[in-house]
Amino acid sequence: MKLSTKTRATTLSVALASTLALTACAASNETANTGSGSDTASGTQLSGTLVGAGASSQQAAMQGWTAAYSSVQPEVTVNYDPVGSGGGREQFIEGATDFAGTDAYLDEEELAGAQERCAGGEIFQLPNYIAPIAVVYNLEGVEELNLPPEVVAGIFAQQITNWNDPAIAEANPDVTLPDLPITPVNRSDESGTTENFAEYLSAVAPDVWTYEVSGDWPVSGGEAAQGTSGVVSAVGAGNGAIGYADPSQAGDLGVANIGVGGDFVAPSPDAASAVVENSERVEGGGEYNYAIDIRRDTTESGNYPIVQVSYHVGCVQYDDQETADLVADFMSFVVSEEGQQAAAEAAGSAPISDGLREQAQSAIDAISAG
């Protein structure tokens, strides 16, 4: 399910929050492509600046990618502003960036705008980052917590308001739950993480979560915070708080096990990868649109359905050759085994499968200038 989001950022931040100089050198006699674009494989050293913006959930992974890429292209600078998914999509469509990072694939209106922006009228959407969304909590004395799907929805819909509620107690018979109000914390900014989380709630508990799915949080009250780091900080600041965030940034917070079928599953890379493998590609959007509809309501053992598949969006054809070469080379590194391992080490993400890598490389190989 993919519904349109409304709020959009409109300008590129003056100071890019995550700017890294990336460097790399390929030997002149190198003949095999180990994951970078054809220029690197042929021994050509690239130079220039590549500009991206978007999902803050990709920030840790982007740092891993750029640090590892520094051993491949020493004269390339990649700027990535983790302004949020909505802002990243908007800036790309407006032509302010060379690529976007987003936790939600383009809706029909955005797709039309992106196709108009790109020289050849065709875009790519590559699911290059797969990560679970953790339900994080701060509850003194409770080190492990099981939450059934309907309970998660009830808490964030503010229908379950106390930690010793019978529905929570039933799923945690060996845990002493305090008589303490629950403080749900949500993102204040438009967020792909919010949209993915809301899609899950709508799929598994439609009678409880009756709101329209979007990147804007629909429930008034509770507490709101900017970005992933803001949510983590807000949850950590108050005993009894609960939120949703990238587990790589959860720090010392508790991470709940989520009910799937008859089991409770922790948000691990393997469990996130498993549910993606059991999901289907979205129809339409062009030859190189590899967006995925996640099976949020899966009951299969070992699958963790609160997962975000974060995309890189770009043009199949750019206006100039330098940008085309830089985008192709960097994206090719990102999807390589080396690049995916770098992201996993930096962000706890799940490396994409060989099948997804082959799909992505087919799009990357088609990038050109015209």
Side-chain angles (χ1 to χ4, degrees), residues 9 68 73 119 123 151 175 185 190 232 248 278:
Q73 287 289 4
I123 60 100
V151 171
V175 177
V185 180
E190 184 195 26
V232 169
S248 69
N278 291 324

Side-chain angles (χ1 to χ4, degrees), residues 92-103:
F92 173 73
I93 291 168
E94 291 182 344
T97 62
D98 302 316
F99 71 93
T102 173
D103 295 335

Side-chain angles (χ1 to χ4, degrees), residues 33-50:
N33 189 347
T34 59
S36 301
S38 59
D39 287 314
T40 299
S42 66
T44 301
Q45 187 172 320
L46 300 179
S47 63
T49 299
L50 191 60

Side-chain angles (χ1 to χ4, degrees), residues 3 32 55 57 59 66 80 105 137 168 232 235 238-239 263 298 319 334 343 367:
L3 302 178
S57 63
Q59 186 173 6
T66 54
Y80 183 80
Y105 56 79
Y137 65 92
I168 303 176
V232 169
V235 173
N239 187 30
D263 301 326
T298 183
D319 290 327
V334 164
I367 296 173

